[in-house]
Amino acid sequence: MIVVFDLDDTLYPESAYALSALAAAGRFAQAEFGWDAFAAKLTELFARGGRRELFQVAARDLGLNPPTEQQLAALLSAYREHRPTSLPWYPDALEVVRTLHAQRPLALISDGYLPAQQYKAEALGLAQWIPNPIFTEALGREHWKPSPRAFELLMSRHPGQDFVYVADNPGKDFIAPRSLGWKTIRVRRLEGIYAQATDAPRGSPDQVISSLQGLPAIL
Ligand SMILES: [Mg+2]
């Protein structure tokens, strides 16, 4: 059975990437617009749970003029195009990927903007364990999950094999693999952003585990 992982919040905490990207947007704002306290404010908002319109909220909190459309677009580019030097794996994820890598083929299917997903993979050193990750964005924005395209592509690379998809978001991750006959496993970490999310119709995983440590035993 080929084990296929999701990336964000399955193998590493996406919040680590977000903090690194917000810092990059903050540095950009300081250099380009002279907004000195912007980076610190973004970090503070994120730490307090802020996830929406952070650039606008930070500007407002600092008493700046509302960012223009152009400034917002530039900040978003600084965020998405920044290149993290390193990202932390979840310890259980690294352990299980190392263990399984020695035993069987591993693969990865991930949504998200490019090149950000590629930069994340580089920062994690993913290639030594999973050399040919599939980023759905490369197939076209319409093929982000729950599109089956990426899953079908992987099946065409490994004809006759069985697959299991390991991911964290029950709202979109398991619809396509289930429809194609894959086994599906949700990792539901206590602090995960989708820990409280409910299953999509026809998108319930076969099993739920709280850490990837338990994965080898149920394969
Ligand atoms: Mg995910």
Side-chain angles (χ1 to χ4, degrees):
M1 180 174 284
I2 293 177
V3 182
V4 186
F5 292 97
D6 169 52
L7 180 61
D8 300 306
D9 287 313
T10 295
L11 296 184
Y12 84 99
E14 190 172 15
S15 60
Y17 171 81
L19 281 167
S20 169
L22 287 172
R27 286 193 299 274
F28 174 85
Q30 178 164 38
E32 294 296 315
F33 312 142
W35 297 351
D36 287 333
F38 199 66
K41 176 57 74 176
L42 291 173
T43 305
E44 177 200 320
L45 291 170
F46 191 85
R48 292 211 312 257
R51 296 293 182 272
R52 297 179 63 80
E53 304 195 334
L54 289 189
F55 300 140
Q56 293 95 321
V57 176
R60 194 187 62 210
D61 282 9
L62 292 170
L64 302 165
N65 288 327
T68 63
E69 288 296 316
Q70 258 181 340
Q71 286 175 322
L72 285 176
L75 288 165
L76 196 57
S77 293
Y79 181 101
R80 287 190 184 151
E81 289 163 18
H82 102 289
R83 217 168 176 145
T85 47
S86 72
L87 288 172
W89 285 72
Y90 283 122
D92 57 302
L94 185 55
E95 189 186 324
V96 92
V97 162
R98 277 186 167 139
T99 302
L100 293 177
H101 173 258
Q103 303 169 352
R104 56 176 82 230
L106 301 179
L108 182 137
I109 292 175
S110 164
D111 282 346
Y113 299 101
L114 291 177
Q117 297 310 94
Q118 286 155 331
Y119 293 161
K120 292 173 184 175
E122 283 169 22
L124 289 163
L126 190 75
Q128 59 188 307
W129 320 111
I130 306 175
N132 291 307
I134 296 177
F135 298 117
T136 54
E137 172 92 351
L139 309 174
R141 182 75 41 95
E142 69 277 23
H143 292 303
W144 283 33
K145 295 175 276 188
S147 163
R149 178 65 66 87
F151 297 87
E152 291 166 347
L153 176 61
L154 204 52
M155 291 171 83
S156 73
R157 287 183 187 172
H158 303 277
Q161 294 278 348
D162 290 328
F163 298 84
V164 56
Y165 192 51
V166 182
D168 70 298
N169 184 350
K172 68 168 183 177
D173 285 339
F174 307 115
I175 298 167
R178 262 189 50 153
S179 75
L180 294 167
W182 293 29
K183 183 178 168 74
T184 51
I185 297 174
R186 173 185 178 188
V187 57
R188 185 183 186 185
R189 302 176 188 281
L190 270 184
E191 75 285 8
I193 54 169
Y194 299 114
Q196 307 309 321
T198 51
D199 297 353
R202 297 182 306 285
S204 296
D206 296 312
Q207 279 178 278
V208 182
I209 53 180
S210 59
S211 141
L212 291 181
Q213 254 169 348
L215 183 62
I218 58 175
L219 290 176

